[in-house]
Amino acid sequence: MGDLLDDYRKAAGPLPQQHSLWRLTGPGLSDLEPPAAEPLPVPGADELLVRHDAVSLCASDAKIARLGLDHPRVRRFPVVPGHEVSLTVAAVGPRLRDAYAPGDRFVVQADMTVGGVARAYGYDLPGGLAQYAVLGAEALAYLVPVRSGTGYAEAALAEPWACVEAAYAASYRSTWQAGGTVWLTGDGAGADLGAAAGWRPDRVHLDVRDDIFAERVRAWAHASGVEVVAGPPQAAVDDAVVLGPDPDRVERALAALAPHGTCALVTVAPLPRPVRVDVGRLHYDGLALMGTAHQDLSAAYTPIRTELAPGGRLWLLGAGGPMGRMHLRRALQRDGAPASIIASDRSGRSANTFGGFTPPTVTFLSERECGDAETLAKRLNEATGGLGFDDVVVAAPSARAVEAAFEHLADGGVINLFAGLPPGTLCAWDVTAVAHRGVRAVGTSGSSVADLRRARDRIEAGVLQPNRSVAAVAGLDGAPEALRAVAENRFGGKVLIFPNLSRPLPLTPLAELAGVLPGVAARLERGHWTVAAEEELLRALI
């Protein structure tokens, strides 16, 4: 059997004539077609045939079934889910044989550009819930190599770790988009361009009431070669500046932003009511909401901090879920870790993150035990002495949580919307805090190749131990139950699918492995998944 495992690693020996895959034909897990044997695809001259060795399931995989075509990355059905993938090259097209060979191992950066169009592995491109797949030439730039000794599970988990790293590496513009479109709207009395006079958009939509400021803008635009259009825009803009305390204008400005656009609120007076903010777009479209209480509108465009404040106060919501636990481990491991952390979830399951040991800087909090929002708010205020949190990371897809969390930000605090809510999800925020107290909101979706390389490097250096995130394993036959488990948030860790087992393996929590595969269970380390356990699984079932 050892020879079989070695052959498997090297992708040696004859390839199968058929392979199996799961297709989701519509919204709802009931639309998962039973896997059927299909002819093994043959790579073209500039293509690779790859074997999926391990797939880590993500809440986004379950979200495809829940949202259907409302999911921002799903364009059509059917979908083969699975974007957190470790794979091995099984066959190489003739024109790629100088660069690739069977047995080469990679992880996949899911967000790709193919044919000039943004695509995503496991969404509108077939993903990991298939034994094999063909990758075209344009996808090869999104493969990140891994060492032969790296476990398949820990390699697959590089992708979610890359997403965690990306959440703290986002960058936002601190000027108007060069060559872009700006909308100046609101009162404008007493306002000044300040440093913005040196910025060069192509067009400014001038929609302000104050004639003095309007004339100042026209004079600047004429001298700078910038086109001025009277009135509000009819299409999306790159930057919108709201002058004065007008919630309606802020809402219209946010709705008018193109992806990666910025909205600046410039107001000395507080706003009379909360603003309905589309937090789904903040997350998926990378919008920036900034502000200033000074009349110099360029003062709103200070750099937005995305990394955790060293020695600060952190509140992590959804800390009991797989991604929440990754955020917690990262916060504790980084240089300049927060001085205090509140790790909360609905059930209190986050308290088991470290096997009963609680790091001294962490306080675990069960929102369910608090009973109501008022009691929870009291506990949070007590934890910060009424000062609020420097950072709030939301790893639970709950609009209620996002809305409440904003209220607990300290001066200069940052709320990180890691969990994606559908575009169109509105939360009522008192955005006076953005202008008067320097509060900011950030959000990221996915990661880049550079993020994935950094995660891979940290895993292979032993800095990250992603196998500790594994909660349950299954073969390809267990995929439907595994997706249901993820949708129902049954586990505090990740579910791993091994698509190429030759015998069935239903969804099995690690705690129950001894009754199913005692040899595999014997190679766990204090209940955690290991490379040795994975090797024993493959020896037993390939």
Side-chain angles (χ1 to χ4, degrees):
M1 294 300 289
D3 291 339
L4 283 179
L5 178 57
D6 189 54
D7 287 347
Y8 179 83
R9 290 189 182 283
K10 296 176 180 177
L15 292 169
Q17 294 183 344
Q18 297 179 316
H19 79 128
S20 296
L21 71 161
W22 287 96
R23 284 193 181 92
L24 185 64
T25 59
L29 291 178
S30 60
D31 286 323
L32 265 177
E33 284 186 345
E38 297 188 357
L40 191 71
V42 177
D46 296 306
E47 296 178 330
L48 298 178
L49 176 69
V50 297
R51 182 188 70 207
H52 295 133
D53 297 305
V55 185
S56 168
L57 293 185
C58 172
S60 292
D61 296 318
K63 196 184 299 181
I64 293 171
R66 188 173 80 250
L67 297 180
L69 295 179
D70 289 333
H71 192 293
R73 293 184 178 181
V74 176
R75 292 187 174 92
R76 65 186 67 84
F77 283 103
V79 173
V80 179
H83 60 279
E84 300 176 359
V85 179
S86 169
L87 56 80
T88 298
V89 174
V92 182
R95 286 201 286 264
L96 295 178
R97 287 174 183 165
D98 290 339
Y100 298 90
D104 290 348
R105 292 191 50 207
F106 298 93
V107 288
V108 181
Q109 165 52 42
D111 295 322
M112 303 178 177
T113 300
V114 179
V117 177
R119 309 290 298 274
Y121 205 77
Y123 296 92
D124 62 338
L125 293 173
L129 290 186
Q131 291 181 293
Y132 290 83
V134 166
L135 296 183
E138 287 185 282
L140 303 184
Y142 301 94
L143 298 181
V144 173
V146 296
R147 297 174 184 168
S148 60
T150 303
Y152 294 123
E154 61 186 359
L157 288 165
E159 200 280 341
W161 266 109
C163 293
V164 171
E165 292 293 334
Y168 302 98
S171 61
Y172 295 85
R173 284 188 285 107
S174 54
T175 67
W176 293 335
Q177 176 68 50
T181 302
V182 178
W183 181 17
L184 298 176
T185 181
D187 188 338
D192 186 75
L193 289 173
W199 304 342
R200 291 296 179 268
D202 271 357
R203 180 183 300 110
V204 170
H205 289 269
L206 190 55
D207 179 28
V208 298
R209 289 189 292 267
D210 186 77
D211 292 337
I212 296 175
F213 178 68
E215 186 55 39
R216 194 178 301 146
V217 170
R218 291 190 188 95
W220 159 77
H222 178 74
S224 304
V226 176
E227 179 186 3
V228 174
V229 179
Q234 302 302 309
V237 299
D238 301 295
D239 300 276
V241 180
V242 180
L243 303 160
D246 190 331
D248 293 333
R249 286 182 185 267
V250 176
E251 290 169 354
R252 289 197 294 271
L254 285 168
L257 291 180
H260 306 292
T262 72
C263 176
L265 172 61
V266 181
T267 179
V268 176
L271 276 69
R273 66 166 177 84
V275 168
R276 293 180 292 271
V277 177
D278 187 338
V279 294
R281 285 205 66 207
L282 281 179
H283 172 84
Y284 283 109
D285 286 349
L287 305 184
L289 175 58
M290 50 189 64
T292 181
H294 301 287
Q295 295 285 39
D296 175 356
L297 64 84
S298 68
Y301 286 81
T302 55
I304 296 177
R305 175 177 62 82
T306 54
E307 184 55 272
L308 298 176
R313 300 176 298 275
L314 166 65
W315 178 21
L316 174 57
L317 291 86
M323 302 307 294
R325 294 186 185 207
M326 291 183 187
H327 279 277
L328 181 55
R329 289 185 182 277
R330 183 191 185 278
L332 290 167
Q333 291 173 357
R334 69 177 299 269
D335 293 335
S340 64
I341 301 173
I342 298 294
S344 70
D345 63 12
R346 291 183 181 179
S347 64
R349 188 170 59 191
S350 57
N352 297 321
T353 300
F354 300 97
F357 167 74
T358 302
T361 57
V362 178
T363 300
F364 294 109
L365 186 63
S366 168
E367 296 168 29
R368 184 176 299 167
E369 289 178 1
C370 287
D372 55 41
E374 185 176 345
T375 302
L376 175 62
K378 182 179 179 182
R379 292 283 300 276
L380 296 170
N381 284 329
E382 290 171 351
T384 65
L387 297 175
F389 294 92
D390 301 293
D391 291 280
V392 174
V393 177
V394 183
S398 164
R400 178 193 60 81
V402 170
E403 192 164 272
F406 189 85
E407 300 174 4
H408 291 277
L409 288 168
D411 291 355
V414 177
I415 182 169
N416 188 320
L417 306 176
F418 181 80
L421 289 159
T425 302
L426 301 178
C427 287
W429 284 353
D430 179 7
V431 299
T432 299
V434 173
H436 289 193
R437 299 198 293 111
V439 164
R440 297 292 186 261
V442 300
T444 56
S445 175
S447 59
S448 68
V449 172
D451 296 320
L452 187 58
R453 288 183 181 275
R454 281 193 292 270
R456 185 253 347 243
D457 290 346
R458 297 187 74 196
I459 289 169
E460 294 186 339
V463 177
L464 298 176
Q465 294 85 39
N467 277 336
R468 294 188 177 185
S469 301
V470 179
V473 295
L476 192 62
D477 55 295
E481 186 62 21
L483 284 167
R484 277 190 286 271
V486 172
E488 295 165 5
N489 196 26
R490 287 186 215 165
F491 300 109
K494 299 289 283 186
V495 176
L496 265 293
I497 303 291
F498 293 90
N500 277 282
L501 304 182
S502 61
R503 288 166 44 196
L505 177 64
L507 178 64
T508 307
L510 297 193
E512 299 175 12
L513 264 179
V516 180
L517 293 167
V520 178
R523 287 162 175 77
L524 300 179
E525 183 178 309
R526 297 181 181 179
H528 294 303
W529 191 250
T530 63
V531 173
E534 182 175 277
E535 289 175 346
E536 183 61 24
L537 173 71
L538 295 174
R539 286 191 186 96
L541 299 183
I542 62 170

